[in-house]
Amino acid sequence: MFQLDIRLLIVTILFFSIIFVDFLRNKKLPLLSNKCFALMLYFTAVNLVFNVLKLYTTVNVDAFIPLVDRMFSQLFYGSMIMIVVFLFWYVEILGNNQKRMKWKKVLRRMLPLAFPMVMILFGDLNYELRNQQLYADGSMVVGFTLSLLFYCGWIFVDTVRYKKTIQKENRLAIQLGVLMLVAGGGIQLFNFGLLFSEVAVTLMILFIYLAFENPKEYIDEETGSFNKRAFHLVLNEKKEAEKPLILVSVVVDDLRRIQTMVGHENTNHILKIIGMMMKDSFQFCPGCDRKRIKKIKHNADFSLYHSRSNVMTFLTEATLDDIKEQLELLARQIKKPIQFSKHTIVIKAHIDVIFTDNYKDQETCDEVYDMMNYMASHNNATAEKIIHLLNEAVISSKIRYSTIENILIDAIEHDGFVMVYQPIYHAKNKQFLSAEALVRLTDTTSVGFISPEEFIPIAEKKGMIMELGEIVFDKVCAFAREEALKDRGIEYIEVNLSGIQCVHPDLPSQLQDIMKKYDITPGFINLEITETAFVESGEMLRENMLKLRQMGCSFSMDDFGTGYSNLSRMAEVVYDLVKLDKSLIWPCFDQENSGKNSKATAILENIIKLLLQLNVKIVAEGVETKEMATYLNNLGVTHLQGYYYSKPISEAAYLDFLAIDQSSYKIVTDDEKTKTSQVNSL
């Protein structure tokens, strides 16, 4: 009787089924927009069913009473309108960053829906066959058409209004989908035999699925859990819903060591196992209270997030009391060796527990992210403590950290650093022939004195260390040139390099340019590298050291005794000096035990003996008494540095120090004491 391409409908159903099944089989984020999209899919499936039924009853009109045909048509038009309504709400949710609206606002936006629903329920519907085509008309069709156009227009306006919160590519996907929906509905309205409305709806959903809702966009391929982007989206949605949450994170403190041992792929497998431990601990928890577990399940979706390279996280709305047993179980679990394949790995990990209610007054979740990163970086698992709870002390510490970071940024931009110098006594020459340059922050009005041990790690973590290093080296070279330190008898100045600087490919050229700028000979510069930085760094450090040594710079191993004390590796590179850390020296002069500590003394004396056999000069740090100075010099340590001679002093004070009589620092060696005794006996 009329043109009907049933094949188009079959293809559309199959195509939609692929999208629908793919959506269902993948993990879904617990987002408000995701739930709205799911409802769009369900109504589209319903719409397809009733379109087929409506089509069948219309074609076989003699086999059904008019009421059945009308009911299927009503359900078809009603479900189509609901698809558009949920698309409207989908755009609203995205535009408002997943923020939930108040009921009054929701009702105002739903009022226009009353008109088409009334028309669909009570309006008339007629079919007319013209030129082998079936046309539909009547108030039901008019109500449906006007409502469709109204909401589609509103959606289009919203995509423009929310241009700051919805990306351009995603807005275009929605706009194209809406235009196709309007065009498809219009074609089917005036040409019933061509089933373009379902094709248009399916294509619209495809565009949105690919642009927004493709679950693969939020899955971390390495662990199979949700990725960092998904975590941020969910946390923002939960915050907008004003729900107090607890974030439970397992932080692997020694991830780099594990990667070195088992490789990147196996490390990801370990993170996946940790995620399974978290899920098992909170879903099952052998021996835990059943009612409590049920309550936790009700308040948690158990979606796991790979929120940081070494962190697995999940969210729960349960209280801390509710999850206390589960946290303790999880702590016991991560202490146990992890076995898989041929590997048995003992990890060092801790648990961070953050209460987002502490940040309920914040406009965004940035403070929560920062706190997560801060706790992950600053907490560590110990034998006594694995679980770290967010508290006022941690918040205060984080505030100080952020304040120092801001001070550091300002200091780099506005030259907020000064250099101080600590003289080094050369016992053989009985003179101060060198000094260590140390950097200090000048702006300490807000938090008081800031130690370099505090602000330099921050500079490293925040990517400012190369700028800071350049400022320090420039100031040292400028001071050496302006005050003609060589003419004052200074042989060299020691300048510290951080671990990040050591392996930066631009380091040699940066230092060379500054030395040329101030006409400083490289031999005047001694670069200090910490023992730990040397052992942990790779080939890049050796390349940089070789280039700088070829220029004429010398090197010191700083803080020897605080790190790995890997003498075999140290012997691979020719160091001019090794600086003994005070932690090796002070125990030898333990006043509480009335004299020298025999074990500490044995360790120190053997280390010095071994270093001398390697033909390395030794600098002793932390020298505070004449007794220390004499003892160390007798062991062969000829470079002495510490408060006995001078604390770190300003440039002007350092120049004054060099000008004074230094004979009072003369050390009487054991040989000199013997000679003096022999003369006196004569």
Side-chain angles (χ1 to χ4, degrees), residues 74-226:
Q74 288 173 325
L75 292 171
F76 167 76
Y77 287 125
S79 58
M80 178 68 78
I81 288 295
M82 292 308 298
I83 294 171
V84 180
V85 168
F86 279 111
L87 175 60
F88 163 76
W89 282 114
Y90 184 81
V91 176
E92 284 285 326
I93 292 166
L94 292 175
N96 287 280
N97 288 319
Q98 306 290 334
K99 187 175 182 180
R100 296 172 184 266
M101 294 184 183
K102 294 182 179 180
W103 281 109
K104 290 182 180 180
K105 197 172 184 179
V106 173
L107 289 174
R108 284 198 299 268
R109 281 164 166 71
M110 294 295 288
L111 281 177
L113 185 62
F115 170 72
M117 288 305 176
V118 170
M119 299 303 292
I120 289 171
L121 287 173
F122 303 107
D124 57 329
L125 176 65
N126 303 305
Y127 292 112
E128 180 182 354
L129 185 64
R130 298 197 302 266
N131 300 323
Q132 300 298 313
Q133 299 293 322
L134 188 66
Y135 295 90
D137 58 28
S139 57
M140 183 187 298
V141 177
V142 172
F144 163 76
T145 304
L146 292 177
S147 181
L148 181 72
L149 293 174
F150 176 80
Y151 273 108
C152 285
W154 198 345
I155 293 168
F156 207 92
V157 171
D158 274 355
T159 58
V160 177
R161 186 158 63 101
Y162 295 130
K163 62 181 180 180
K164 291 184 178 180
T165 50
I166 303 178
Q167 294 181 356
K168 183 179 179 180
E169 296 80 5
N170 296 338
R171 294 201 311 271
L172 290 175
I174 294 173
Q175 290 168 352
L176 183 60
V178 168
L179 290 175
M180 292 194 66
L181 182 60
V182 172
I187 291 173
Q188 182 157 334
L189 179 65
F190 295 105
N191 193 333
F192 181 79
L194 295 178
L195 308 177
F196 279 128
S197 65
E198 300 300 343
V199 176
V201 169
T202 302
L203 289 175
M204 178 192 71
I205 285 177
L206 176 64
F207 292 152
I208 296 173
Y209 184 70
L210 294 178
F212 293 98
E213 295 297 327
N214 187 353
K216 295 179 178 63
E217 292 291 324
Y218 304 107
I219 298 298
D220 178 57
E221 294 181 358
E222 297 177 338
T223 62
S225 59
F226 287 115

Side-chain angles (χ1 to χ4, degrees), residues 5 52 67 75 87 95 175 185 191 211 297 334 348 353 381 412 437 487 517 549 659 670:
D5 193 351
V52 172
L67 183 61
L75 292 171
L87 175 60
Q175 290 168 352
N191 193 333
K297 287 182 178 180
I334 62 177
K348 183 183 178 184
V353 182
I412 288 176
D487 296 340
K517 175 182 175 182
R549 185 170 288 283
D670 289 342

Side-chain angles (χ1 to χ4, degrees), residues 425 430-432 626 644 660-667:
Y425 185 69
K430 298 180 175 59
Q431 290 180 299
F432 292 92
K626 187 173 183 178
Y644 171 65
I660 65 174
D661 181 14
Q662 300 168 5
S663 61
S664 60
Y665 295 109
K666 180 180 178 181
I667 298 172

Side-chain angles (χ1 to χ4, degrees), residues 430-444:
K430 298 180 175 59
Q431 290 180 299
F432 292 92
L433 302 179
S434 61
E436 180 179 3
L438 301 164
V439 64
R440 297 289 186 265
L441 270 173
T442 57
D443 180 12
T444 58

